[in-house]
Amino acid sequence: MPPIENNLPFDVNEYYNLIAKLESQGSGDYGAKNRLGYLGRYQMGAKALADIGMVKPGTTNKGLTNPNNWLSGSYKEFMNSPKMQDNA
């Protein structure tokens, strides 16, 4: 992830890396998927992805593999794009 500049009293990049390690079973892996269907480095679920307009409202985690539920990108793109995950 490219460094993010900020005026916060802590290192945002370090914070993001910590979240990623906590969420993706300690790996920080962008390709991670857990048994409940949460995706990527930050373990985003369908509700979070719907909140930011990437998937249709009402999509379930199980429905994330259905291309018809995606409004921006796709399951495959999301899982293979660090930039897309970091932006989300």
Side-chain angles (χ1 to χ4, degrees), residues 1-87:
M1 172 167 44
I4 296 171
E5 306 230 355
N6 67 74
N7 295 322
L8 299 172
F10 59 89
D11 183 335
V12 160
N13 295 298
E14 189 175 311
Y15 176 71
Y16 287 161
N17 287 331
L18 178 61
I19 290 173
K21 283 186 178 182
L22 292 171
E23 292 296 331
S24 55
Q25 297 90 36
S27 69
D29 180 14
Y30 285 97
K33 179 179 178 183
N34 75 12
R35 63 182 175 79
L36 299 174
Y38 290 87
L39 308 177
R41 187 172 198 236
Y42 305 101
Q43 294 294 277
M44 304 271 306
K47 287 185 180 184
L49 293 169
D51 283 346
I52 60 172
M54 292 186 79
V55 299
K56 293 177 183 176
T59 300
T60 63
N61 285 357
K62 196 173 190 176
L64 290 172
T65 57
N66 181 341
N68 295 321
N69 289 328
W70 287 81
L71 300 171
S72 174
S74 69
Y75 172 84
K76 186 177 180 179
E77 286 177 89
F78 185 80
M79 293 302 288
N80 292 309
S81 174
K83 183 177 181 179
M84 186 181 275
Q85 290 185 36
D86 290 340
N87 288 340

